[in-house]
Amino acid sequence: MPKFVEAEMVVIGGGPAGMAVALSAWEQGMRKVFLLERNPHLGGILNQCIHPGFGLHVFGEELTGPEYAERYIEALARTGVEVFTNTTVLGVERDRTVKAVNRHGVFVFRPQAVVFAMGCRERTRGMIRLPGTRPAGIFTAGCAQYLVNVEGYLPGRQAVILGSGDIGLIMARRLTLEGVRVEAVVEIRPTLSGLLRNYVQCLQDFRIPLLLSHTVLEILGKERVEGVLVGEVDENGKPKGPVRHIPCDTLLLSVGLIPESELLKRAGIPLCPSSGGPFVDEDFACDVPGFFACGNVVAVFDLVDHVTKSAERIGRRVKEGRKETQPCLTLTPGKGVATLVPQRIREGKEGSLYVRPKESLKGAKLSFVQDGKEFYTLRIPICRPGEMIHLEISHIPWPEERKEVQVILEGERHVDSL
Ligand SMILES: Cc1cc2nc3c(=O)[nH]c(=O)nc-3n(C[C@H](O)[C@H](O)[C@H](O)COP(=O)(O)OP(=O)(O)OC[C@H]3O[C@@H](n4cnc5c(N)ncnc54)[C@H](O)[C@@H]3O)c2cc1C
């Protein structure tokens, strides 16, 4: 028999987003808050990120992932938030019924607010249709990071990394420090995908080559990876020029992250096609009343500090129990914008807006347009896909008309001389 549990708020996922929501709900005076995490420990992806670089905005100091997580774990321990670890949420219904399972049985909650904070997952070889054989030795970068930093295993001795996302860059340095020879980081686009600081600290400092506008054309090897064929590509990703054979026994893939949105789909929460996560307003409320989402399940954020800040808004909104009015504006990504969060503006007075550029631009102009009329612009000297543009919502003079607003980013194409 399932156990029925009375709850005000149920938070699904105990990473930095989930922990920050649960904490802020408690601080706002809610007393029946449940945090459900499928792993044995809280902390989410931070537990495997043993490098520094976390918390500069929130704490004003540079912490490692586990240190950042620990601050929230300790703060939660001083509250009455009910933390259920080793507990997997199996399903969420549109009437806010949450079904979870652990070794004590099945639990059913029907809280006033359900918060999705399940993070994201990595794109795999199948998703990018990489040609060649199917030998052992192909890992996603995050999986390799878990093996090295948590389990203490080395994935191989000689590696090539496909994709210049942050996890790939960080793993290039990590593997080098463990004695693995990293032959190259290969990036199909003409620009870096991750943060510039990670390029400098993880590749340049260790003299690891970055091959921009290149891709892996074929994986070689029967039982184990024996090498890869790498070649240059044109702006449409089509191979051109000579092909290079790079011997290696390991190929890491750092080719993008996608929000973990299965539970949302099943609950019928509308999803945004460009981010892959739910549509949210400035308080991270979804389109269906009573549902909220924060962190990487909404969109892949560049910094954990932004994940935490996104989460903290939810506690306040739920406590205030503000009437669920319709959002007054819908934001859509126009030319030059890959994703933006939030996509709904309810009051337009507080909170942040995050915009991820499609490509690197210099002398860029970010414009907000309604009915063909530009009502706000912001000049940005340089922007890159690896770094989100961050704006205060209150600085934007939102129009009265309840109509769609397009967010457009234009400028001169820029290629970093890396
Ligand atoms: C390799 C790597 C390096 C990074 N480096 C930096 C850096 O240097 N600086 C920085 O600021 N940020 C960095 N980040 C980003 C930062 O770690 C993330 O932004 C942050 O962890 C996202 O938080 P989250 O809570 O949304 O998701 P996560 O940390 O992924 O947490 C989600 C949690 O939900 C749980 N969950 C999922 N589904 C269920 C379910 N059905 N039931 C119960 N629980 C569930 C998962 O087990 C997980 O614990 C890095 C990220 C990665 C992957």
Side-chain angles (χ1 to χ4, degrees), residues 129-257:
R129 296 193 292 266
L130 208 52
T133 49
R134 305 184 64 80
I138 305 165
F139 303 85
T140 60
C143 171
Q145 186 181 49
Y146 178 80
L147 288 176
V148 176
N149 293 349
V150 179
E151 297 290 337
Y153 291 115
L154 266 192
R157 292 273 162 212
Q158 194 178 6
V160 167
I161 299 177
L162 177 61
S164 63
D166 287 314
I167 317 178
L169 301 178
I170 284 159
M171 281 314 290
R173 173 177 65 184
R174 187 77 189 100
L175 290 179
T176 306
L177 290 171
E178 290 296 336
V180 177
R181 191 179 154 82
V182 179
E183 297 292 346
V185 173
V186 181
E187 167 59 57
I188 195 165
R189 296 201 289 181
T191 50
L192 189 72
S193 292
L195 299 171
L196 198 59
R197 74 168 194 214
N198 282 336
Y199 165 72
V200 175
Q201 294 169 7
C202 302
L203 299 195
Q204 222 175 27
D205 286 359
F206 292 86
R207 299 207 173 92
I208 298 167
L210 169 67
L211 305 178
L212 294 173
S213 298
H214 279 69
T215 194
V216 168
L217 299 169
E218 197 175 333
I219 299 170
L220 309 171
K222 259 193 175 164
E223 300 293 321
R224 174 84 201 189
V225 173
E226 288 167 12
V228 288
L229 298 182
V230 169
E232 200 177 346
V233 294
D234 64 18
E235 62 258 28
N236 302 315
K238 289 247 157 56
K240 65 171 191 183
V243 173
R244 214 165 112 186
H245 173 223
I246 305 183
C248 60
D249 62 10
T250 304
L251 176 67
L252 297 196
L253 305 178
S254 178
V255 289
L257 301 164

Side-chain angles (χ1 to χ4, degrees), residues 40-116:
H41 309 285
L42 293 177
I45 203 77
L46 295 178
N47 290 327
Q48 65 184 68
C49 300
I50 61 169
H51 56 279
F54 298 83
L56 271 170
H57 299 264
V58 169
F59 295 112
E61 56 182 313
E62 225 185 349
L63 304 171
T64 63
E67 282 169 339
Y68 189 97
E70 201 51 38
R71 298 215 173 174
Y72 286 88
I73 294 170
E74 281 173 9
L76 277 169
R78 292 192 290 271
T79 69
V81 170
E82 296 268 5
V83 177
F84 285 19
T85 50
N86 290 310
T87 304
T88 300
V89 172
L90 302 173
V92 179
E93 305 292 330
R94 213 177 154 94
D95 68 357
R96 298 194 305 281
T97 303
V98 177
K99 203 178 277 175
V101 66
N102 63 23
R103 66 192 175 95
H104 302 292
V106 175
F107 294 81
V108 177
F109 305 82
R110 196 170 171 278
Q112 180 191 333
V114 175
V115 184
F116 296 105

